[in-house]
Amino acid sequence: MLVEPLSALRYASSPRRTAPRRTRRTDRAAGYWRRLLPALALLALVTRLPSFLHPLWSPDEGYLAVQARILADGGALYDTVVDRKPPLLPWLYEATFALFGDESAGAVKALAVLAQLCTAALLAATARDRWGDRAGRTAGVLHLLVSIGLNPEDTQAATFEVFMLPFTATAVWCAGRGRWGAAGLAVAGALLTKQTGGAVLVPVLWLLWRASPARAGLSRLSAGLVLPVLAVALVTTPAGFLFWTVTGSGAYATFTGSELHVLSRGMANTALLCLACAGLLPPLLRTLRGGGRGTEGPGAGARASAGTGTADLWLWLAVSAAAVLLGFHFFGHYFLQLLPPLVLLATAALRLLPRDRLASALLTSACICALFLSWGVLAPRPELGHVQRLADAVRARTAPTDRVLVWGIHPETYWLADRTPASRYLTAGLLTNYSGGRDGPEVGEKYGVAGTWPVLVSELRARPPALIVDDSRGKPFAPERLPTLRKLLARHYEPLTQTVDGAVLYVRSPGD
């Protein structure tokens, strides 16, 4: 008679025994993040303070700002304005300008601070899941310290890699927790921010392969990845999306023509990155040589015993390095993609070394961060000054409704002058291949994106620009080296005696 009541009592009392334990874990996690997130937020803001000192840091920011204005005025991506990049970041700029105005990029810069904070927090969450609380704090802080360890033009600009990294970090974190649908969405977000962000799919697939069972996870991962990409392709037009993000960049992605030029750039940026990671590389190399000694340290607990491997992180680093090499341009901002796996690998190495190694790594990284921060604050910006003077001259020579063609690599001139571009091609690079960083041999009309010159000619005939600015200043894309543009200027325009730092302004010929 008493069996049934006693059995019922046991089952009824079971939740009461486990609930406090579950509550303690939740409270402990909440307390951990309440302490860590404000510190990371402050560090993210400090490291990106230089980004607020100038209107723009790079031509990429200018390109995005001009795209956003054109889209807000009813333009269509991959039609009335084009670029080789996926649409997520132009849409983000457009939405931000719609909410906060397009006279300043301050709101986008604030979002870049948030993007770095999210990346740091996600890396902290990944490290904490694998190795404990202290590892989480280490990963979050190290990422923010090394995140500005390149030329400030590459790290302080609110451009593609900065907004791509939160997606890549999310993908690996979700995959580590078996959330395959969310991991697929994160990979899609990275891919739709910049094509090379899709490299994170490789470590995600590795983690899926290691999971059991993997078949159901594969379907969720595939759906999360494929559906957003298809949706974006349909919204923008599939043919235009495919051409401008994949098939239309053949000349851009070749190595021939400027080998020494791009290799020297690659070596310089590699050296800068090694300097920035001077606190991370020694412990990582020490553990690779088998020199790691010590214990996991406090905070690791039982969670550290589950999934302490780093094979997926090495794979992530390898495919990120391949993404940096892709196209053989080695721009500094490309190297930002290496930082998340490097930070996690260094965090894993530091937990195997004595505690004083962690303090040394953090101190070294903080000192070098201060060096790069000072560079960002104090470095002169001569090109920005030139573009601002050029924008003033354009504004003085044209009416607000006039269309202008700036023949150069600084699309921010349109944005600063508040004038509408006369062509969907915002730089000379798309028409000459100079945007690939080429120094001469493979720059010209025949190296431009296929089909662009006939479109440019038709645009200029349909709506002749009131002003053409030759901002080539001796570069290989100068009009005298381009027959089509040279003939157009000779027939319909005449140069002004006024020049701006070597840039020549052309107005329409009288009676034309």
Side-chain angles (χ1 to χ4, degrees):
M1 295 291 294
L2 294 175
V3 172
E4 192 169 306
L6 288 173
S7 176
L9 180 62
R10 282 198 301 272
Y11 285 112
S13 63
S14 177
R16 285 196 293 271
R17 288 200 303 270
T18 58
R21 193 177 306 145
R22 191 178 301 117
T23 302
R24 284 196 299 272
R25 285 199 300 268
T26 303
D27 291 344
R28 180 170 172 268
Y32 177 84
W33 291 110
R34 277 196 301 268
R35 292 187 298 272
L36 181 59
L37 284 178
L40 293 180
L42 178 61
L43 186 56
L45 181 60
V46 169
T47 54
R48 293 198 66 82
L49 277 177
S51 70
F52 295 93
L53 299 179
H54 303 289
L56 297 168
W57 272 92
S58 77
D60 283 347
E61 283 181 306
Y63 207 116
L64 288 160
V66 177
Q67 275 185 302
R69 278 185 175 172
I70 295 173
L71 295 175
D73 289 337
L77 200 58
Y78 309 127
D79 184 10
T80 54
V81 63
V82 297
D83 193 13
R84 289 187 172 102
K85 299 296 192 299
L88 210 56
L89 199 50
W91 287 343
L92 178 64
Y93 266 69
E94 180 189 5
T96 306
F97 283 178
L99 290 173
F100 301 100
D102 63 0
E103 300 302 317
S104 168
V108 179
K109 296 174 186 293
L111 288 179
V113 175
L114 181 60
Q116 286 288 30
L117 171 60
C118 289
T119 304
L122 287 159
L123 294 178
T126 301
R128 183 172 183 262
D129 283 348
R130 297 184 182 209
W131 308 303
D133 289 354
R134 189 179 70 172
R137 291 189 293 269
T138 300
V141 170
L142 282 177
H143 172 74
L144 293 173
L145 291 177
V146 302
S147 66
I148 60 169
L150 290 160
N151 189 316
E153 182 176 324
D154 294 306
T155 59
Q156 297 293 340
T159 51
F160 299 95
E161 286 79 10
V162 169
F163 290 96
M164 178 184 76
L165 294 187
F167 288 112
T168 61
T170 300
V172 172
W173 177 69
C174 289
R177 292 191 161 208
R179 299 175 180 176
W180 304 113
L185 285 171
V187 175
L191 183 64
L192 292 172
T193 303
K194 188 182 178 187
Q195 295 94 320
T196 54
V200 76
L201 179 62
V202 176
V204 168
L205 287 173
W206 169 270
L207 290 170
L208 176 61
W209 177 67
R210 296 293 301 270
S212 178
R215 182 174 299 176
L218 181 60
S219 62
R220 294 196 298 272
L221 176 68
S222 300
L225 169 60
V226 173
L227 293 179
V229 175
L230 286 179
V232 166
L234 291 173
V235 167
T236 58
T237 70
F241 175 76
L242 181 64
F243 178 80
W244 285 104
T245 61
V246 182
T247 62
S249 300
Y252 179 86
T254 59
F255 186 56
T256 57
S258 304
E259 293 86 351
L260 291 177
H261 182 66
V262 296
L263 283 175
S264 62
R265 183 196 300 133
M267 292 174 64
N269 285 320
T270 300
L272 284 175
L273 186 66
C274 289
L275 173 62
C277 296
L280 280 62
L281 296 179
L284 187 55
L285 294 174
R286 183 180 178 87
T287 55
L288 283 176
R289 291 196 304 265
R293 298 290 185 270
T295 64
E296 295 177 355
R303 278 180 308 167
S305 63
T308 59
T310 57
D312 61 313
L313 302 180
W314 285 109
L315 191 57
W316 188 9
L317 180 63
V319 295
S320 297
V324 172
L325 293 171
L326 187 65
F328 304 105
H329 300 297
F330 309 120
F331 292 121
H333 50 89
Y334 288 12
F335 288 72
L336 293 175
Q337 192 166 351
L338 299 172
L339 295 182
L342 267 176
V343 164
L344 288 175
L345 285 167
T347 301
L350 285 166
R351 59 183 279 278
L352 299 174
L353 298 173
R355 282 174 177 257
D356 63 313
R357 300 285 183 178
L358 174 59
S360 175
L362 289 171
L363 180 60
T364 301
S365 298
C367 291
I368 296 172
C369 176
L371 178 66
F372 281 101
L373 189 62
S374 300
W375 184 6
V377 171
L378 301 175
R381 303 283 298 143
E383 279 300 295
L384 176 62
H386 164 74
V387 173
Q388 289 173 319
R389 290 188 292 272
L390 190 58
D392 291 340
V394 170
R395 195 182 308 108
R397 287 283 180 178
T398 57
T401 56
D402 286 339
R403 291 176 175 265
V404 175
L405 177 67
V406 178
W407 188 253
I409 56 173
H410 290 291
E412 60 267 37
T413 307
Y414 295 115
W415 186 67
L416 294 171
D418 196 16
R419 294 296 183 264
T420 302
S423 172
R424 70 192 68 191
Y425 310 120
L426 302 184
T427 70
L430 293 174
L431 294 125
T432 65
N433 197 39
Y434 189 79
S435 60
R438 305 304 179 189
D439 62 353
E442 292 200 359
V443 174
E445 288 189 28
K446 68 178 181 178
Y447 300 109
V449 177
T452 52
W453 279 95
V455 173
L456 175 68
V457 171
S458 66
E459 288 176 324
L460 300 185
R461 284 176 178 170
R463 291 185 176 183
L467 184 74
I468 294 180
V469 179
D470 171 20
D471 193 31
S472 58
R473 292 176 288 160
K475 303 275 193 323
F477 57 87
E480 55 265 25
R481 297 183 57 177
L482 308 169
T484 302
L485 184 59
R486 184 177 67 242
K487 291 176 184 176
L488 183 143
L489 289 173
R491 290 174 182 173
H492 304 291
Y493 290 84
E494 59 183 29
L496 298 175
T497 55
Q498 173 197 10
T499 62
V500 180
D501 306 326
V504 182
L505 280 63
Y506 289 82
V507 295
R508 289 184 64 78
S509 302
D512 198 315

